[in-house]
């Protein structure tokens, strides 16, 4: 017997779309940072963000960050979840960046990612986001990259949930 589901269809989209991510805001994970609900349009979205947490802004050069979500299914075991990998690259190795990336590598995070289309997405809604890979490289030629790169992975029941811009505007950002 098939599971009950509600299909909604997807219309052709005439808008342009830009890849990549622009910025990320991360914080230490805690239960209840994000409240997820159904908005007036009937879509699932973040409806509130706890004011008890402080987010830290992470900036990087255009074309060096990405977010990729992969649906994982094991039908025999009834498992279905989405792994989202957020890759952040910080050009030019230096002590302050090394310290910052090393702190991210300890994991236990939650955050918000701004994509190239101006949409905000929540990660770490139901469990902590953890580092799953990282590199530091100098390259060999003058034109090679010199950077730190870290991959943060979120496992969630579905694809990332959008954070409406008015809800994002309520977060506490460290100065």
């Amino acid at each position: 017997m098939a599971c009950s589901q509600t299909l909604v269809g997807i219309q052709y989209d005439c808008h342009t779309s830009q890849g990549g991510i622009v910025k990320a805001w991360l914080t230490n994970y805690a239960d209840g940072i994000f409240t997820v609900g159904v908005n007036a349009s009937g879509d699932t979205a973040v409806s509130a963000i706890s004011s008890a947490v402080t987010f830290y802004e992470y900036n990087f050069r255009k074309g060096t960050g990405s977010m990729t979500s992969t649906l994982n299914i094991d039908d025999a075991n009834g498992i279905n979840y989405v792994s989202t990998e957020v890759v952040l690259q910080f050009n030019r190795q230096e002590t302050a960046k090394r310290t910052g990336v090393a702190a991210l590598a300890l994991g236990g995070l939650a955050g918000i990612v701004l994509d190239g289309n101006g949409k905000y997405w929540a990660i770490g809604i139901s469990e902590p986001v953890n580092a799953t890979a990282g590199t530091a490289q100098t390259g060999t030629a003058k034109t090679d990259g010199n950077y730190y790169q870290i991959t943060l992975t979120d496992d969630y029941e579905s694809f990332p949930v959008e954070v409406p811009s008015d809800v994002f505007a309520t977060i506490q950002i460290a100065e």
Side-chain angles (χ1 to χ4, degrees):
M1 174 165 31
C3 295
S4 176
Q5 58 198 6
T6 303
L7 299 177
V8 296
I10 298 174
Q11 300 300 316
Y12 182 78
D13 189 351
C14 295
H15 294 93
T16 59
S17 179
Q18 293 186 21
I21 61 174
V22 177
K23 205 176 280 194
W25 294 265
L26 300 169
T27 189
N28 290 314
Y29 178 83
D31 286 330
I33 290 176
F34 299 106
T35 301
V36 177
V38 178
N39 63 21
S41 302
D43 299 320
T44 300
V46 172
S47 58
I49 301 172
S50 172
S51 61
V53 297
T54 300
F55 286 83
Y56 295 84
E57 187 172 288
Y58 289 83
N59 294 286
F60 38 87
R61 293 185 71 83
K62 179 180 177 180
T64 63
S66 67
M67 182 171 76
T68 303
S69 298
T70 304
L71 177 61
N72 301 284
I73 300 172
D74 184 337
D75 195 44
N77 290 315
I79 296 171
N80 180 326
Y81 68 96
V82 175
S83 290
T84 297
E85 291 184 338
V86 176
V87 178
L88 305 176
Q89 180 175 303
F90 306 102
N91 290 344
R92 192 169 187 236
Q93 293 182 34
E94 57 191 19
T95 300
K97 291 175 187 167
R98 183 194 66 76
T99 303
V101 170
L104 291 176
L106 297 175
L109 306 168
I112 300 169
V113 177
L114 176 62
D115 74 13
N117 295 311
K119 300 282 187 181
Y120 297 93
W121 303 98
I123 57 172
I125 291 173
S126 62
E127 61 184 66
V129 172
N130 290 299
T132 53
T135 59
Q137 79 168 41
T138 62
T140 54
K142 286 187 181 223
T143 56
D144 290 344
N146 178 302
Y147 57 79
Y148 296 100
Q149 189 177 76
I150 189 162
T151 302
L152 305 173
T153 301
D154 177 37
D155 291 329
Y156 186 58
E157 64 190 44
S158 188
F159 293 95
V161 177
E162 187 174 351
V163 179
S165 57
D166 61 326
V167 174
F168 172 80
T170 67
I171 71 170
Q172 305 297 318
I173 301 175
E175 303 227 3

